[in-house]
């Protein structure tokens, strides 16, 4: 007796679930850098310090001026020409360190931890990473700094009201100077970001930042006077200071010229960072 074997058709293979396609876009890179920025504890601490430096040192400077004036003693020569504006931006020298250092940490910190390899694997074209980091942090630093100088000026105006330093928002050039101070500190943050990407070292980036903003102007003062007059106005810190100074003299740049020079330094730092990012491995 023979048996008949019935061969059935093979079972259909399970359908594969189509995976969604993800494309790297500028908006997604920006969102990624925004998320990474706020995930760092150092971001909250350093931004808080920058805001504290702006407000606290501005208020301390105004309170010191008022106490010196009330004491009846002759004012120090640096205080004779003081205004509510110059007192309120006194903290920019300290805030620029906080914001600039944080900018360095944002980029150089990824090289220190090795996270940059994952970042560049996700964004193979590389340059969008640099533009996004600089844009995101520059905007955050701009907002924080602008808020800080406006708060400091509001408080200082009340402290020095009725004194020769009294100024209000309606005074010519005050609002422009306050926004100029915020823009200067925002660009310092961008320069810090660029230096971190260029040097790929937290210590190296911070050292160059501090030297550029604070040490080099002091060294220039050792040069002959004729050299100082030709070089000093174009240094990053001096050009930046002219952006928010209320008055100018023959040895300083106008606000527009100061902005142009400081933007030039910012573009130079970004160009160096972009060149190294593209030309060398992570």
């Amino acid at each position: 007796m023979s048996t008949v074997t019935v061969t059935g058709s093979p079972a259909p293979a399970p359908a594969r679930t189509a995976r969604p396609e993800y494309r790297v876009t500028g908006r997604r890179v920006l969102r990624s850098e925004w998320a990474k920025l706020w995930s760092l504890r150092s971001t909250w601490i350093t931004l808080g310090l920058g805001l504290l430096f702006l407000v606290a040192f501005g208020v301390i400077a105004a309170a010191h001026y008022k106490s010196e004036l009330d004491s009846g003693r002759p004012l120090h020569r640096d205080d004779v020409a003081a205004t509510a504006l110059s007192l309120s931006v006194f903290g920019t020298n300290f805030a620029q360190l906080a914001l600039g250092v944080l900018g360095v940490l944002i980029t150089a910190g990824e090289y220190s931890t090795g996270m940059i390899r994952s970042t560049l694997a996700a964004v193979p074209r590389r340059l969008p990473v640099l533009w996004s980091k600089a844009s995101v942090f520059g905007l955050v630093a701009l907002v924080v700094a602008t808020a800080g100088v406006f708060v400091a000026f509001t408080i200082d105006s009340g402290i020095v009201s009725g004194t020769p330093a009294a100024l209000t928002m309606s005074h010519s050039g005050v609002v422009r100077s306050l926004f100029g101070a915020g823009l200067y500190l925002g660009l310092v943050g961008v320069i810090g970001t660029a230096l971190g990407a260029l040097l790929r070292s937290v210590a190296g980036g911070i050292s160059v930042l501090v030297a550029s903003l604070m040490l080099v102007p002091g060294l220039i003062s050792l040069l002959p006077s004729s050299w100082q007059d030709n070089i000093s106005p174009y240094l990053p810190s001096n050009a930046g200071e002219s952006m928010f100074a209320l008055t100018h003299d023959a040895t300083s740049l106008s606000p527009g010229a100061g902005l142009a020079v400081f933007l030039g330094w910012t573009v130079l730092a970004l160009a160096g960072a972009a060149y190294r990012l593209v030309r060398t491995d992570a």
Side-chain angles (χ1 to χ4, degrees):
M1 181 178 179
S2 61
T3 59
V4 179
T5 302
V6 179
T7 303
S9 59
R16 294 184 179 180
T17 304
R19 296 180 62 183
E21 294 184 1
Y22 293 99
R23 294 188 304 110
V24 177
T25 64
R27 181 177 180 182
R28 285 173 174 166
V29 178
L30 284 170
R31 290 177 61 184
S32 172
E33 295 303 328
W34 176 268
K36 283 194 289 184
L37 175 65
W38 295 111
S39 66
L40 299 174
R41 184 181 302 175
S42 58
T43 298
W44 298 91
I45 295 173
T46 313
L47 286 178
L49 286 175
L51 185 61
L52 178 65
F53 290 157
L54 283 172
V55 177
F57 283 105
V59 172
I60 291 173
H64 172 75
Y65 172 84
K66 187 67 162 56
S67 65
E68 288 292 312
L69 196 64
D70 293 342
S71 67
R73 298 191 300 267
L75 291 175
H76 190 272
R77 63 179 182 179
D78 293 335
D79 294 332
V80 172
T83 64
L85 176 65
S86 64
L87 296 171
S88 63
V89 298
F90 181 77
T92 54
N93 288 331
F94 304 95
Q96 69 181 357
L97 293 180
L99 297 176
V101 166
L102 181 55
V104 173
L105 289 173
I106 288 172
T107 48
E110 287 202 29
Y111 284 94
S112 300
T113 61
M115 186 178 176
I116 190 65
R117 290 189 288 271
S118 299
T119 299
L120 297 182
V123 189
R125 293 178 60 187
R126 297 192 175 192
L127 285 182
V129 174
L130 177 62
W131 308 145
S132 297
K133 286 182 181 293
S135 300
V136 168
F137 181 62
L139 179 61
V140 171
L142 170 64
V143 172
V144 171
T146 303
V149 293
F150 269 91
V151 170
F153 180 80
T154 301
I155 298 173
D156 286 5
S157 295
I159 294 176
V160 301
S161 178
T163 69
L167 286 177
T168 63
M169 289 283 187
S170 60
H171 190 279
S172 176
V174 168
V175 174
R176 185 267 305 163
S177 297
L178 293 175
F179 277 113
L183 179 58
Y184 166 69
L185 292 174
L187 291 175
V188 167
V190 174
I191 290 178
T193 304
L195 289 176
L198 174 62
L199 301 175
R200 301 183 177 184
S201 166
V202 173
I206 293 175
S207 298
V208 172
L209 179 76
V210 173
S212 301
L213 297 179
M214 305 189 72
L215 299 183
V216 173
L219 294 176
I220 293 297
S221 64
L222 302 177
L223 297 176
S225 299
S226 59
W227 290 24
Q228 292 183 39
D229 296 339
N230 293 327
I231 298 175
S232 183
Y234 299 97
L235 296 178
S237 57
N238 292 339
E241 185 178 348
S242 67
M243 292 168 56
F244 55 86
L246 192 61
T247 58
H248 301 81
D249 54 31
T251 62
S252 62
L253 300 175
S254 65
L259 174 60
V261 170
F262 199 71
L263 281 175
W265 286 110
T266 306
V267 170
L268 182 63
L270 286 171
Y275 180 82
R276 187 173 187 194
L277 185 61
V278 171
R279 293 292 181 177
T280 60
D281 295 331

